[in-house]
Amino acid sequence: FGDENEPVEIKPNPLPRIKPEVSFSTVWSKKIGQGAKEKALRIEPTIQGKRVISASPDGKVKSHFADSGKEIWTVDIKDIFEEQNSSYELLGNLDILTGGVEANSEHVFVCSATGHLFALNQIDGSFAWRASISSESLSPPRVDNDLLVIQTIDGKVAAYDASDGSKRWEYAAKIPPLTLRGTSTPAVYEDIVIAGFSNGRIAFITRDDGLAAYEQIIGVPEGVSDLEKLVDLDGEMAIENNVLYIAGYQGRLVAIDLRAGEILWEKEASSLVGVSVGFGNVYLISADGKVIAYNGTNGREVWRVEALLNRNLNAPLVTGSFLAFTDFEGYLHLLAQSDGRFVARKKLDSRGVGARLVQQEGRIYALGNGGTLSVLEIR
């Protein structure tokens, strides 16, 4: 008889055999920096106009032309600290950057491990401004016209002026003693900022003055230990046709009508990476690696795939008629949105791909943990 308290070893499912129907071709790939390696940092690239901007935990920020991969500029945030005589803040800080990347037509925004929000000029990567934030941010800021919203691991959401970094407001949630390392990325919808917290609550905050307009509980802490009570909202949320879809860890998947402020439907769910929408479905990747499609209108299950259990799947990306996501071994998987069948697979980075995939005009941009940005087309 084994000891009851011995941890059960969870083995990842082996890769299923598939019949490829399409293939991935690599358009270009570039080394961005040292990469996240084994760290749980997920600094995702962003596309602004004809440029793709990427960053690495070691402080490198690079801008490339999205079509050709030609480098426009490269900047090292360490140099900016030194120019400002504040390099002492980086001593003992192995990671320089922890959150990003966001951009608008004027600036590129990243967050540093020292609790700063940096803005670089979009045109040449030169330093524009920096602002102090209350704690580390592990998700990208979100820019909406003149407003830049950032969520930090201490349970705060703050808004800054995107042009000069002056602080507009701050909203604080009570956070439990034990949380998952990560924060969800806030969303801006009309005149509200939507943020999910590690206490299992989602807050609707007024865009202009940072006041709580409405709160909704997605996960209710149950059990005795702090671990059993974990109800973190860490993953991606999705908004389509004025409906918000959000899922938490050990909680629920909930569809909320943003106009009426009421829950349309809910399902028991546990997700670390969140959801995406397409084809009238909402796609959830569960904490144990199930890929489930629900009908967006009524929450009825459309299909589920259980072939990739415990492979540490990343957030799902809708691209064309497909659903794309990566796993801990760095494989990029492609499923048909219609029925969940596997249509293609490609190994991208043996260290895995932790950063969220992004797409534009049918191209998928994947930043691997080894520090290489790959741009792929589906053929």
Side-chain angles (χ1 to χ4, degrees):
F1 296 100
D3 178 3
E4 283 180 6
N5 299 324
E6 253 179 49
V8 180
E9 194 188 349
I10 296 173
K11 289 208 168 89
N13 264 25
L15 284 175
R17 294 178 68 167
I18 69 167
K19 270 196 201 138
E21 297 174 30
V22 293
S23 64
F24 291 110
S25 63
T26 303
V27 185
W28 56 265
S29 68
K30 296 283 179 203
K31 184 81 172 159
I32 302 304
Q34 282 177 2
K37 303 200 171 93
E38 278 64 56
K39 300 187 286 266
L41 293 174
R42 301 189 164 136
I43 303 177
E44 60 195 55
T46 190
I47 299 162
Q48 169 63 34
K50 294 181 166 25
R51 301 173 172 207
V52 54
I53 302 108
S54 326
S56 174
D58 60 0
K60 301 272 192 313
V61 186
K62 294 189 178 186
S63 177
H64 294 91
F65 284 112
D67 55 356
S68 65
K70 184 172 182 287
E71 189 176 292
I72 303 167
W73 51 258
T74 179
V75 171
D76 195 328
I77 296 287
K78 282 199 285 279
D79 297 342
I80 294 175
F81 270 104
E82 278 160 18
E83 281 159 23
Q84 301 202 341
N85 297 327
S86 50
S87 53
Y88 67 90
E89 298 179 54
L90 294 173
L91 285 176
N93 244 327
L94 300 174
D95 302 322
I96 311 294
L97 296 177
T98 57
V101 178
E102 176 65 307
N104 59 15
S105 55
E106 285 173 32
H107 296 123
V108 169
F109 307 100
V110 289
C111 301
S112 73
T114 54
H116 289 100
L117 170 60
F118 277 89
L120 309 174
N121 289 309
Q122 171 77 260
I123 189 163
D124 59 3
S126 59
F127 174 73
W129 53 259
R130 77 170 180 176
S132 288
I133 55 180
S134 64
S135 169
E136 253 186 323
S137 176
L138 300 176
S139 59
R142 277 293 170 250
V143 68
D144 180 64
N145 298 322
D146 60 328
L147 196 75
L148 187 69
V149 180
I150 189 152
Q151 186 161 355
T152 43
I153 58 174
D154 56 358
K156 290 180 179 160
V157 174
Y160 298 82
D161 189 299
S163 57
D164 63 8
S166 56
K167 194 171 185 180
R168 299 259 192 97
W169 51 258
E170 184 176 86
Y171 172 92
K174 283 196 180 75
I175 58 169
L178 185 67
T179 67
L180 299 167
R181 183 160 163 77
T183 49
S184 78
T185 307
V188 184
Y189 167 84
E190 293 179 357
D191 56 355
I192 54 170
V193 172
I194 303 168
F197 295 96
S198 51
N199 58 9
R201 287 173 180 266
I202 181 170
F204 296 78
I205 307 159
T206 53
R207 184 190 184 282
D208 295 334
D209 43 21
L211 303 173
Y214 167 70
E215 268 197 6
Q216 180 66 52
I217 298 174
I218 303 298
V220 180
E222 289 176 7
V224 182
S225 72
D226 286 340
L227 191 62
E228 289 167 328
K229 289 181 186 163
L230 262 180
V231 287
D232 231 318
L233 297 179
D234 258 7
E236 292 297 319
M237 50 182 114
I239 298 174
E240 189 163 76
N241 299 331
N242 306 314
V243 177
L244 169 76
Y245 301 96
I246 185 166
Y249 181 62
Q250 301 190 141
R252 302 176 291 167
L253 165 63
V254 178
I256 298 174
D257 181 332
L258 291 172
R259 291 278 155 88
E262 57 193 38
I263 292 182
L264 298 174
W265 56 264
E266 55 184 273
K267 293 281 173 192
E268 225 173 89
S270 178
S271 178
L272 298 162
V273 294
V275 299
S276 63
V277 286
F279 266 37
N281 292 338
V282 49
Y283 303 102
L284 172 112
I285 291 188
S286 72
D288 57 2
K290 295 187 202 65
V291 186
I292 310 173
Y294 298 92
N295 178 301
T297 311
N298 56 26
R300 206 180 64 244
E301 189 175 309
V302 181
W303 53 258
R304 70 165 56 200
V305 171
E306 298 194 2
L308 301 169
L309 291 181
N310 307 314
R311 291 188 65 86
N312 202 2
L313 306 181
N314 200 351
L317 172 81
V318 167
T319 176
S321 55
F322 305 110
L323 189 69
F325 51 87
T326 51
D327 69 14
F328 78 108
E329 287 186 310
Y331 283 98
L332 173 62
H333 300 272
L334 200 64
L335 272 55
Q337 286 193 59
S338 53
D339 59 4
R341 72 183 187 279
F342 287 89
V343 292
R345 180 165 74 214
K346 185 180 177 73
K347 179 107 177 207
L348 294 182
D349 184 329
S350 54
R351 287 190 147 149
V353 180
R356 207 166 64 97
L357 300 169
V358 293
Q359 66 101 24
Q360 187 189 50
E361 292 169 2
R363 285 183 175 181
I364 296 174
Y365 296 77
L367 182 56
N369 294 350
T372 296
L373 176 69
S374 304
V375 183
L376 304 129
E377 273 178 355
I378 299 166
R379 294 271 163 88

